[in-house]
Amino acid sequence: MENHKLSISKINKLFKDKELKPSELYDEVFERAASTESIIHGHLTLFQEENIQKALESNTRYEKGEHLGPLDGIPIAIKDNINISGHVTSCSSKMLANYVSPYDATVITKLKKEGVLFTGKTNLDEFAMGSSTENSAFGPTKNPWDPSRVPGGSSGGSAAVVSAGSAIASLGSDTGGSIRQPASFCGVVGFKPTYGTVSRYGLIAFASSLDQIGPITNNVEDAKLIFNSISGHDPKDATSLIATKTEQPNLNKAKIGIIKELMEDGISEDAKEEVYKVAKLMEAEGHEIVEVSLPLTKMSISIYYLIAPAECSANLSRFDGVRYGARVSGNTSSEMMELTRAEGFGPEVKKRILLGTYALSAGYYDAYYGQALKARAMMKKEFTDIYKQVDYVISPTTPSDPFKFGEKSDNQLEMYMSDLCTIPANLVGMPAISIPTGLSSQGLPLSVQIMSPANTDNTLLDFSQTLQSLVSFIDKPILNRTEK
Ligand code: GLN
């Protein structure tokens, strides 16, 4: 059976036409998990047993024509930094290895109401800090296209399980690229919505002004479906947007800017060629392609690595052995906290906390954090101005195809550079999508990223659907080389 490769709307039609039952799809997905998980390690936990009953209930709803919506009975995987009541939310950290969430994140509440079946929780870089899942305390996830390569990160597990077919879709979180970069490395679609459109309530915070939850899927239609079911104002999240008004540019003839600064040094020839290839296809469809300059995108890594660690140092201060998670006892309370944090956090998380604490400390605040905030505001203006000239901007999603394990772990700067193209959208709070468009010279997935102004998420998704139909990539079956 190959139902796990179908779009959600096709699956939904099969359910409605009684040609497939939710419980049969559920079994199929877990069969995939049984044949792939031992190699790729995308899920940290599988919820197979507990959802059997729910799958049967979904069967009954379809039999009676009372199904809850297009996501009823769809198996979806959840990144393990999003709370599901009664389940561990480990953030792939020893600190939270035994933390059982007492409540559902808003996105989970919404998906439960639609009858979604959760396959389990997926692996990530510890507290979502990383680009390869090599920072997970529970071992890395492998790329289903080539297990000697990383799946990207931090939502590496969420991208790998969709690519391998052990979930129909997944949720990830994106602070600097953590949905889009792994989606690109695993040859699937990843969408980071406008900041504030999807509630962050129940997402364990990394950098609160940048974090966004979004879908990882086999195609753009599925991403749109899931985005629309998880978005909307949430009074439980103070940064949730009240209402979004979407502009509708002319989809038949759009003006698209290729970002000059993201087509220069540090970007592989393969990745650049992919953008030019897509630009040509769009031009042939009547869209206008121009080159645009966004000079501050070159500064995005420097800006991000002040703002994200500063916010993470504040957010992670709650893990002190008193309120949540692990505790290592000591003779005094401060010794207990010191030992708990020394033992509970891995090296990358500690490094970020130190960096952030330094950037926020008296005497350095203005020079570092304050400057980064100013540069971020300037960058936002640069993007706002560009969108007066063009409807969309495009770039590669990642500077290269998936790298090998260990290849960048000794070179911090190179690892950080792998987010060069994705970080700008987080800094300016605007939506961005990664669409797989072709293969590199090594036969590994490459993607193009499209960005659009804040609150034009559905317009961007519709436009991306037209792009998806121009490239043959997504029509190809999901490759799963783990079965060779
Ligand atoms: N790779 C980036 C980092 O290490 C982005 C992570 C993310 O988006 N969560 O911080």
Side-chain angles (χ1 to χ4, degrees), residues 79 81 125 127-132 135 153-155 173-181 206 210-211 304-305 308-309 348 352 412 415-416 418-419 422-423 426:
K79 186 175 180 179
N81 59 354
D125 286 293
F127 283 101
M129 297 173 201
S131 308
S132 64
N135 299 337
S154 63
S155 318
S173 66
D174 192 312
T175 306
S178 276
I179 288 175
R180 292 160 286 155
Q181 186 255 20
F206 161 13
L210 301 161
D211 298 342
Y304 175 85
Y305 278 99
E348 183 65 26
R352 306 252 186 142
Q412 197 66 75
M415 183 69 94
Y416 289 177
S418 63
D419 302 312
T422 47
I423 284 176
N426 299 80

Side-chain angles (χ1 to χ4, degrees), residues 34 106 111 131 138 168 172 181 193 207 213 219 242 256 270 283 285 288 301 339 346 364 384 391 400 433 449-450:
T106 296
L111 293 179
S131 308
F138 307 122
I168 300 298
Q181 186 255 20
I213 295 175
N219 55 62
I242 303 265
I256 300 146
D270 277 353
E283 216 163 26
E285 291 293 301
E288 190 185 346
I301 304 266
L339 292 173
Y364 295 103
T384 308
D391 301 306
S400 69
I433 188 167
Q449 173 180 241
I450 318 181

Side-chain angles (χ1 to χ4, degrees), residues 352-414:
R352 306 252 186 142
I353 292 173
L354 285 174
L355 265 174
T357 309
Y358 181 75
L360 288 176
S361 57
Y364 295 103
Y365 184 98
D366 287 338
Y368 294 111
Y369 186 65
Q371 286 300 101
L373 288 185
K374 280 185 204 153
R376 180 183 190 178
M378 286 163 67
M379 191 174 191
K380 202 164 185 174
K381 183 166 181 329
E382 244 181 44
F383 270 80
T384 308
D385 288 346
I386 277 296
Y387 288 129
K388 290 177 188 149
Q389 297 166 35
V390 296
D391 301 306
Y392 305 98
V393 291
I394 63 167
S395 71
T397 305
T398 53
S400 69
D401 60 1
F403 46 89
K404 294 217 168 198
F405 281 99
E407 198 179 316
K408 293 188 197 280
S409 39
D410 292 337
N411 187 338
Q412 197 66 75
L413 190 61
E414 261 199 45

Side-chain angles (χ1 to χ4, degrees), residues 161-177:
V161 300
V162 175
S163 174
S166 59
I168 300 298
S170 64
L171 291 187
S173 66
D174 192 312
T175 306

